[in-house]
């Protein structure tokens, strides 16, 4: 819910022509498709309701690598938890401030809603699970840009902003300490982690020696002497050859 007067933002894929939205209270309302944002794969819906609670987006930079995230469900429990894994485009590896990748395991039905940090602030909107280790989200800053553009031609909101979700309690100290340890480990690991690409297939690996040997799962590059493209953490790419498997 992005406006208290009934506007809802979600991913466009799979949304029917005449959707129904279930509010947190359990109430179900027919929704109208207001606008498609094709560039980001989103659709704006509207239900006839007012005074709805509105999501609160994280301000400032995206959370760093290793930050703990949760994807809320329609009940009291999260449907998935994970950590920030990268902010790059999977196909090219180029940095992309509009994207936030995390390793939460989501089903298609779980995508389209927010992913939040330990403070309960939305850091992005889940778009899709791109492979077995990556879920891609549109970053909070990118979502705000989309909303700013939409609000330029939407009807003026004549009521107040609606109730904010209840302020969450401070995260337990143990979680904060765990997040700090994960962030430190992630920063060290990312320098020696590489992407391995063979045609359209992709995987990851780790630099195992200063001489340039990379260790990866056998299913990523199964045949001896098979050629692959190796992308380093710096973004530089180089050619690689499988020297054997076990």
């Amino acid at each position: 819910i992005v406006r208290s007067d009934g506007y809802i933002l979600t991913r466009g894929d799979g949304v029917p022509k005449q959707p129904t939205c279930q509010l947190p209270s359990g109430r179900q309302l027919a929704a109208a498709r207001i606008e498609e944002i094709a560039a980001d794969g989103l659709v704006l819906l509207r239900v006839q309701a007012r005074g709805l609670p509105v999501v609160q987006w994280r301000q400032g930079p995206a959370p760093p690598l290793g930050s703990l995230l949760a994807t809320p469900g329609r009940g009291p429990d999260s449907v998935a938890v994970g950590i920030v894994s990268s902010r790059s485009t999977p196909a090219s590896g180029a940095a992309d401030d509009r994207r936030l990748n995390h390793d939460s395991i989501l089903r298609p039905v779980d995508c389209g809603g927010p992913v939040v940090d330990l403070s309960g602030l939305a850091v992005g909107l889940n778009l899709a699970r791109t492979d077995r280790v990556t879920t891609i989200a549109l970053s909070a800053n990118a979502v705000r840009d989309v909303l700013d553009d939409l609000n330029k031609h939407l009807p003026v909101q004549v009521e107040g902003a609606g109730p904010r979700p209840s302020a969450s309690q401070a995260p337990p100290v143990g979680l904060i300490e765990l997040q700090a340890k994960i962030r430190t480990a992630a920063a060290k690991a990312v320098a020696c982690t590489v992407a391995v690409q063979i045609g359209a297939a992709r995987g990851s690996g780790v630099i195992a020696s200063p001489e340039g040997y990379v260790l990866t799962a056998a299913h990523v590059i199964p045949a001896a002497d098979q050629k692959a493209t190796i992308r380093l953490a710096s973004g530089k790419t180089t050619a690689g050859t499988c020297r054997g498997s076990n």
Side-chain angles (χ1 to χ4, degrees):
I1 302 172
V2 294
R3 276 185 31 169
S4 63
D5 52 351
Y7 287 94
I8 295 167
L9 192 65
T10 187
R11 71 169 190 165
D13 185 35
V15 177
K17 292 182 178 181
Q18 297 179 322
T20 298
C21 294
Q22 180 175 315
L23 302 182
S25 64
R27 182 184 178 193
Q28 294 189 354
L29 296 172
R33 297 175 67 107
I34 302 301
E35 186 164 341
E36 293 186 13
I37 306 95
D40 293 308
L42 304 177
V43 63
L44 184 70
L45 308 176
R46 180 146 193 218
V47 297
Q48 294 302 311
R50 294 186 177 276
L52 299 177
V54 177
V55 66
Q56 302 300 304
W57 300 101
R58 177 185 171 113
Q59 303 285 335
L65 296 180
S67 298
L68 289 168
L69 302 178
T71 295
R74 284 171 287 186
D77 297 325
S78 300
V79 297
V81 295
I83 63 169
V84 177
S85 54
S86 73
R87 289 188 295 278
S88 63
T89 303
S92 66
D96 187 349
D97 291 337
R98 294 177 59 80
R99 295 182 181 271
L100 180 74
N101 298 339
H102 55 101
D103 65 357
S104 307
I105 299 175
L106 296 182
R107 302 169 300 168
V109 71
D110 298 324
C111 295
V115 55
V116 302
D117 61 15
L118 288 182
S119 299
L121 297 175
V123 301
L125 188 147
N126 287 319
L127 295 178
R129 187 161 178 80
T130 59
D131 56 45
R132 63 186 180 85
V133 295
T134 307
T135 294
I136 192 168
L138 192 66
S139 71
N141 287 336
V143 174
R144 279 199 300 272
D145 289 343
V146 169
L147 294 175
D148 287 344
D149 287 340
L150 288 172
N151 281 322
K152 291 175 183 178
H153 57 270
L154 289 178
V156 176
Q157 189 170 348
V158 296
E159 60 176 274
R164 293 193 173 194
S166 300
S168 59
Q169 296 180 345
V173 174
L175 274 182
I176 296 175
E177 292 175 347
L178 174 62
Q179 177 171 257
K181 291 179 180 179
I182 294 174
R183 286 176 175 174
T184 300
K188 291 179 179 178
V190 71
C192 56
T193 301
V194 301
V196 182
Q197 185 163 353
I198 306 97
R202 296 191 303 271
S204 58
V206 60
I207 300 173
S209 76
E211 292 79 17
Y213 286 99
V214 172
L215 194 63
T216 186
H219 71 267
V220 174
I221 181 168
D225 297 325
Q226 189 170 4
K227 305 296 183 181
T229 299
I230 309 297
R231 187 176 67 246
L232 306 178
S234 64
K236 180 181 177 181
T237 59
T238 186
T241 303
C242 179
R243 293 303 185 189
S245 62
N246 185 353

